């Protein structure tokens, strides 16, 4: 998509990679349908970033269910995953379900997913080293500025003149799982 009014970013929550858990969550899509959409975006818009939401430890989630969630993350290669531990909400159907997952297990799954995601995000961001990115500066402390590119990725750069609200072309020189670093062109 070359329309300058369209940000090259999709947020496409999938919550779980297991059809059984998606059904328990009352989601009206399947793992295969989700993967079909996500992979179509990856094929047709390869320069777009993709983020998602995942819930770890929904009642009844087995190790096999969670393995399917990890598999979706591996296939789609998200730029970022917003990961949440399931927490019961009084009065909801899920709060009364059997198979509540112990907190320690939810944390273990959360950590496994985030370890995988950190590796994928770092690899995705490394591919941007050497590119020029248009960045909207949103903060400055001394000469250190941060902002976001069109893919909604955080970019830090040094500039004595940049002001929040300004747009800057930044040459990307470094990358980690959650941030890019560079210099004003």
């Amino acid at each position: 998509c070359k329309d300058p009014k369209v940000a090259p970013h999709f947020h496409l929550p999938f919550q779980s990679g297991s059809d059984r858990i998606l059904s328990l969550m009352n989601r009206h899509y399947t793992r295969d349908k989700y993967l079909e959409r996500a992979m179509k975006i990856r094929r047709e818009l390869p320069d777009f970033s993709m983020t998602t939401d995942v819930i770890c430890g929904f009642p009844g989630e087995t190790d096999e269910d969670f393995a399917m969630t990890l598999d979706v993350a591996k296939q789609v290669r998200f730029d970022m995953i917003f990961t949440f531990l399931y927490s019961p909400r009084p009065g909801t159907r899920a709060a009364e379900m059997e198979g509540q997952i112990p907190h320690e297990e939810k944390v273990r799954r959360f950590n496994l997913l985030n370890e995988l995601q950190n590796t994928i995000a770092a690899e995705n961001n490394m591919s941007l080293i050497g590119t020029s990115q248009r960045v909207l500066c949103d903060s400055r402390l001394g000469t250190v500025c941060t902002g976001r590119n069109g893919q909604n990725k955080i970019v830090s750069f040094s500039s004595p003149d940049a002001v929040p609200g300004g747009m800057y072309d930044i040459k990307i020189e470094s990358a980690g799982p959650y941030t890019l670093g560079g210099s004003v062109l």
Side-chain angles (χ1 to χ4, degrees):
C1 180
K2 300 296 181 197
D3 187 333
K5 296 177 185 174
V6 176
H9 171 84
F10 277 95
H11 184 74
L12 194 62
F14 81 95
Q15 308 298 347
S16 174
S18 163
D19 287 343
R20 190 177 69 78
I21 296 300
L22 289 170
S23 178
L24 289 172
M25 290 178 170
N26 199 28
R27 305 292 187 225
H28 301 287
Y29 54 90
T30 64
R31 166 196 173 91
D32 286 346
K33 193 67 171 170
Y34 181 90
L35 282 170
E36 178 184 314
R37 288 181 181 154
M39 300 315 281
K40 181 176 181 176
I41 291 167
R42 285 289 191 224
R43 270 190 321 275
E44 294 183 13
L45 301 166
D47 294 333
F48 277 50
S49 65
M50 192 179 308
T51 58
T52 194
D53 299 332
V54 174
I55 297 173
C56 293
F58 192 82
E61 181 183 68
T62 65
D63 287 339
E64 293 78 23
D65 293 319
F66 182 67
M68 289 184 246
T69 296
L70 292 175
D71 182 63
V72 170
K74 288 175 188 173
Q75 287 188 57
V76 178
R77 300 188 54 80
F78 296 99
D79 292 273
M80 182 175 284
I81 295 178
F82 299 95
T83 312
F84 304 92
L85 298 178
Y86 167 77
S87 59
R89 302 281 191 261
T92 63
R93 193 178 66 146
E96 306 301 321
M97 286 179 176
E98 291 185 23
Q100 297 291 324
I101 307 297
H103 180 74
E104 297 78 19
E105 179 60 17
K106 289 188 251 187
V107 170
R108 185 186 75 80
R109 292 174 186 178
F110 176 94
N111 289 336
L112 283 172
L113 179 58
N114 283 322
E115 286 173 24
L116 171 65
Q117 182 54 35
N118 287 346
T119 300
I120 292 169
E123 289 169 357
N124 289 351
N125 285 345
M126 292 291 285
S127 72
L128 296 175
I129 291 177
T131 67
S132 173
Q133 300 287 313
R134 188 88 171 139
V135 175
L136 172 62
C137 179
D138 57 24
S139 69
R140 178 177 161 184
L141 182 58
T143 60
V144 178
C145 304
T146 59
R148 292 187 183 259
N149 70 357
Q151 293 179 326
N152 202 31
K153 294 184 182 204
I154 297 170
V155 180
S156 65
F157 58 97
S158 182
S159 172
D161 304 318
V163 294
M167 298 291 290
Y168 302 92
D169 291 317
I170 307 297
K171 180 177 181 182
I172 302 303
E173 299 165 336
S174 64
Y178 300 107
T179 60
L180 301 168
S183 302
V184 177
L185 290 172

